[in-house]
Amino acid sequence: MVINNPKVETEALNFYYGATQALFDVSIRIPEKKVTALIGPSGCGKSTFLRMFNRLNDIITGTHHKGRVLVDGEEIYNNHVNLVELRKKVGMVFQKSNPFPKSVFENVAYGPKIHGIKESSKLMEIVERSLKAAALWDEVKDRLSSNALGLSGGQQQRLCIARALAVEPEILLMDEPASALDPKSTSRIEDLIGELRKNYTIVIVTHNMQQAARVSDYTAFFYEGNMIEFDTTEKMFTNPGNQQTEDYITGRFG
Amino acid sequence: MENQIKDRIILWLIRLFFYFIVAIVGYIIFDIVYNGLSTLSWEFITGFPRRSGAEGGIFPAIVGTAYLVFGAIIVALPLGMASAIYLSEYARTGRFTSLVRLAITTLAGVPSIVFGLFGLGLFVIFFGFGASILSGSLTLSFMILPTIIVSSEESLRAVPMSLREGSLALGASKWQTIYKNVLPNALPGMLTGAILGIGRAAGETAPILLTVAAFYLPRLPGSIFDQVMALPYHLYVLATQHPEAEKVLPMQYGTALVLLLLVIIFNLGAIILRNHFRKKIQW
């Protein structure tokens, strides 16, 4: 499989929590405006890998890495890289929904405000557009000023997606976005991913293989910090090239 | 069966201790209120002392204590909050921060008379502020600093990491994240530290003894470089230094009651402020 002009790319990426190595020589080319799923058992390094793309691992003390991470062909671990600009471009949705203890409106407007938008009509426009894109507008349009923590779990997670979309990212990182949700909310999130793939490059970590099969175009299988296999989702789930991948996908371990 | 009996015994023991403590506090408050109430009058609160405090009011001491507490808080709160923010949000865990924490804990355990001597040496003599409100407030602020730092740091740490990550992931800078997303959620806890500090600052005698308190000064201070009377020191003077210590017993009780009320008023103010911020958060 050849991927030209990848949106995100790593070359021989190694990552260490202190003396413990979490990623081993991972090289991947993630295509633009597609959904790429990272699967593997717990602790295989897939979340760590995801957090490399917006440099969120930087905030954990005692970590370091070797190798290269490129977004749009540019090394993001250079000193002159503007973290604010990077994280604006690379949005993230977390495993446990983490709305701020503020109103629904303030949650979505948080990013645009930080990036200097003050005009309230402009903010309102962004909030509405983002909430609509996250398929949440109809449910919350009458209570934009009420506290976000009063929303249901599934709504909170979609709010976090809206919040990420509000800063107009090009890439959306999703770290097991539906793992804490009920089946109905999960399917709503999955439908939403199906919509968002048209405009965004999505990288999603999931331990739910059916979910990876349903939502993704490409799948990478991680095991013990190594990327075992990376291919189109169709090929990975019907005819994997590696025995370990097959064992995992067929449920023999994990 | 045996376990149930054990459970019951432990429950009763704990209850006993609880009532014991309540009884002690209750007795102290009752004693002060019962004996002090008869002295309490408009003249006592707003009047100036006469005959070395044997007669008249304690107004200058009330004003003095209010100034000192206010001064201590406006110095200690920003300083303590800044230290806590540094320790919790910026400092990497290592030998240096452990050392700083050890220093803070030690500072909390330093006897108040040592703070008094320190204030005398540094503010009164070295900086030349003399015995003054400024020296006294600064000394008290150093004394309550550890309480404020520790409680502030704890409340900062209680803010979930996921909120910081969520903010950083949106491209917020570190300071934006702290200012807009961490501090508002930690503020109620920080104010709790301030409340504890207020109580201590208002009640301590030793630190002000050497840095500000006047034995008998029946007028109001004109500037922060003036000496003042203060309630705890006035109480100490009446109880131990006064030539008619026996006769002025009602004055002592009255002063103690006013001091108690003043601390309660300070605390109430801070609690109202804290609840106001807490309501804004709505976890």
Side-chain angles (χ1 to χ4, degrees):
Chain A
M1 181 186 63
V2 179
I3 289 166
N4 293 314
N5 303 319
K7 186 75 178 169
V8 182
E9 188 179 359
T10 68
E11 284 172 11
L13 183 63
N14 293 275
F15 186 79
Y16 308 81
Y17 291 104
T20 317
Q21 187 164 0
L23 293 173
F24 297 84
D25 274 329
V26 179
S27 299
I28 196 171
R29 289 160 73 84
I30 293 173
E32 189 171 8
K33 292 192 182 166
K34 300 280 181 204
V35 178
T36 302
L38 311 178
I39 61 168
S42 297
C44 68
K46 55 195 192 299
S47 286
T48 301
F49 187 57
L50 190 75
R51 292 164 61 102
M52 293 304 290
F53 303 149
N54 64 349
R55 290 187 56 172
L56 209 58
N57 285 329
D58 287 19
I59 64 174
I60 304 167
T61 46
T63 61
H64 69 283
H65 79 286
K66 280 185 210 149
R68 278 154 54 89
V69 183
L70 301 104
V71 172
D72 287 331
E74 258 187 83
E75 169 65 66
I76 60 167
Y77 281 86
N78 265 343
N79 283 334
H80 63 78
V81 163
N82 184 341
L83 269 186
V84 170
E85 287 305 315
L86 173 71
R87 288 175 180 160
K88 223 178 127 181
K89 193 195 258 188
V90 188
M92 187 164 203
V93 177
F94 296 83
Q95 176 172 10
K96 198 172 159 288
S97 63
N98 56 350
F100 304 136
K102 301 170 188 280
S103 71
V104 172
F105 180 90
E106 286 300 327
N107 263 278
V108 184
Y110 187 88
K113 272 186 178 175
I114 269 170
H115 298 299
I117 296 173
K118 291 196 183 81
E119 224 181 308
S120 59
S121 60
K122 179 93 177 115
L123 284 171
M124 190 59 228
E125 187 191 315
I126 293 172
V127 168
E128 181 174 345
R129 172 163 36 83
S130 308
L131 285 170
K132 277 180 176 161
L136 188 60
W137 175 252
D138 290 335
E139 291 159 63
V140 301
K141 65 181 176 208
D142 298 323
R143 44 175 174 155
L144 291 178
S145 57
S146 53
N147 196 291
L149 297 173
L151 301 178
S152 74
Q155 289 173 328
Q156 287 192 10
Q157 193 60 299
R158 275 179 284 145
L159 180 68
C160 291
I161 294 173
R163 188 175 70 185
L165 296 180
V167 296
E168 297 177 21
E170 295 167 25
I171 299 160
L172 207 52
L173 309 176
M174 302 180 127
D175 190 358
E176 305 200 25
S179 69
L181 301 180
D182 58 274
K184 207 175 152 200
S185 303
T186 300
S187 91
R188 296 205 66 161
I189 300 272
E190 288 179 8
D191 291 347
L192 182 56
I193 293 170
E195 279 299 309
L196 296 172
R197 63 152 30 108
K198 293 170 194 157
N199 299 311
Y200 302 93
T201 303
I202 295 174
V203 187
I204 177 171
V205 164
T206 177
H207 59 227
N208 177 336
M209 268 159 316
Q210 285 75 28
Q211 185 171 68
R214 282 193 298 264
V215 303
S216 70
D217 304 295
Y218 295 86
T219 297
F221 171 57
F222 279 76
Y223 186 60
E224 291 183 341
N226 293 285
M227 191 174 81
I228 306 295
E229 193 173 350
F230 176 50
D231 215 316
T232 61
T233 300
E234 202 192 337
K235 171 121 193 321
M236 287 286 278
F237 279 87
T238 52
N239 186 21
N242 182 289
Q243 188 59 42
Q244 267 178 312
T245 312
E246 191 177 337
D247 287 351
Y248 182 71
I249 284 167
T250 53
R252 235 163 277 167
F253 77 102
Chain B
M1 195 58 208
E2 208 176 274
N3 275 335
Q4 269 182 339
I5 294 170
K6 244 189 229 167
D7 253 26
R8 206 161 282 175
I9 291 172
I10 286 172
L11 178 68
W12 274 106
L13 268 178
I14 292 170
R15 248 186 217 161
L16 200 69
F17 289 138
F18 171 75
Y19 288 130
F20 183 62
I21 288 164
V22 170
I24 293 175
V25 175
Y27 176 73
I28 293 174
I29 292 176
F30 172 79
D31 187 48
I32 293 173
V33 172
Y34 181 78
N35 290 299
L37 217 51
S38 54
T39 316
L40 209 60
S41 67
W42 187 245
E43 205 242 323
F44 183 69
I45 293 171
T46 60
F48 287 78
R50 294 188 305 271
R51 288 187 53 231
S52 315
E55 286 170 13
I58 52 166
F59 187 56
I62 296 175
V63 171
T65 290
Y67 278 160
L68 289 174
V69 169
F70 182 69
I73 284 293
I74 56 169
V75 174
L77 199 56
L79 217 59
M81 280 167 71
S83 316
I85 290 170
Y86 176 74
L87 282 174
S88 156
E89 308 296 322
Y90 287 96
R92 308 227 148 187
T93 39
R95 198 168 291 177
F96 176 69
T97 44
S98 318
L99 208 66
V100 171
R101 285 215 177 79
L102 182 70
I104 292 166
T105 324
T106 312
L107 203 62
V110 171
S112 56
I113 185 68
V114 177
F115 276 106
L117 281 169
F118 168 77
L120 175 71
L122 187 69
F123 304 123
V124 178
I125 297 168
F126 184 75
F127 285 149
F129 297 153
S132 62
I133 296 177
L134 184 61
S135 299
S137 291
L138 289 172
T139 308
L140 285 174
S141 74
F142 278 31
M143 188 187 72
I144 61 174
L145 205 50
T147 320
I148 292 178
I149 295 176
V150 170
S151 65
S152 296
E153 202 194 340
E154 268 167 23
S155 52
L156 284 168
R157 284 184 190 282
V159 177
M161 196 62 195
S162 63
L163 288 189
R164 294 184 181 83
E165 289 191 340
S167 174
L168 290 171
L170 287 168
S173 69
K174 188 150 190 168
W175 174 244
Q176 280 173 324
T177 299
I178 293 169
Y179 181 72
K180 298 189 96 169
N181 224 353
V182 179
L183 269 187
N185 299 320
L187 215 50
M190 292 179 147
L191 288 175
T192 309
I195 292 171
L196 294 172
I198 286 171
R200 262 198 89 189
E204 278 289 348
T205 314
I208 56 172
L209 177 71
L210 302 168
T211 56
V212 51
F215 184 83
Y216 180 66
L217 190 72
R219 60 177 173 82
L220 295 181
S223 80
I224 55 166
F225 293 105
D226 273 359
Q227 269 191 290
V228 281
M229 293 177 79
L231 287 170
Y233 183 58
H234 186 60
L235 191 56
Y236 165 76
V237 168
L238 287 181
T240 63
Q241 311 291 306
H242 202 275
E244 301 166 285
E246 284 298 308
K247 271 193 190 167
V248 294
L249 199 62
M251 299 301 271
Q252 293 172 31
Y253 270 113
T255 308
L257 181 58
V258 170
L259 180 56
L260 202 66
L261 289 175
L262 204 63
V263 171
I264 290 171
I265 290 169
F266 280 139
N267 284 359
L268 270 181
I271 288 167
I272 289 168
L273 203 65
R274 183 181 67 185
N275 290 350
H276 170 73
F277 283 120
R278 222 180 239 168
K279 223 182 275 161
K280 266 186 161 170
I281 297 173
Q282 305 173 294
W283 277 106

